Amino acid sequence: NNVQISTGIESARPVMQLIASPNPAGGGTVYFNKPVSFTLYDETGRSIGCSMNVRSLEIEHLCAGLYLIRTTDNEQLRILRR
């Protein structure tokens, strides 16, 4: 009697961690290592924008400070604008 048990869990593929460069950034453009969809938050937690399936973010218009990117894949990344 051979009994086969299935857990219903497929083996997960490794997920590439989101990286932004340059970070900290003095202005201009920040580049991501993979396409990403996200909401951008300021230091107070206020949503200040969102982007879909992009590989870069223009930050020239942002004031100096710390910003949070929260992706649709539930990743979080802090970006420091100098």
Side-chain angles (χ1 to χ4, degrees), residues 17-39:
Q17 180 180 358
L18 180 62
I19 299 171
S21 177
N23 191 16
T29 305
V30 173
Y31 298 94
F32 304 114
N33 62 323
K34 61 182 179 179
V36 63
S37 298
F38 62 87
T39 302

Side-chain angles (χ1 to χ4, degrees), residues 62-76:
L62 298 177
C63 295
L66 188 62
Y67 295 86
L68 176 71
I69 289 176
R70 182 171 294 139
T71 73
T72 55
D73 294 329
N74 291 321
E75 288 183 272
Q76 293 187 34

Side-chain angles (χ1 to χ4, degrees), residues 41-54:
Y41 298 90
D42 67 11
E43 290 178 330
T44 67
R46 182 176 56 111
S47 171
I48 58 172
C50 60
S51 293
M52 298 296 288
N53 201 32
V54 297

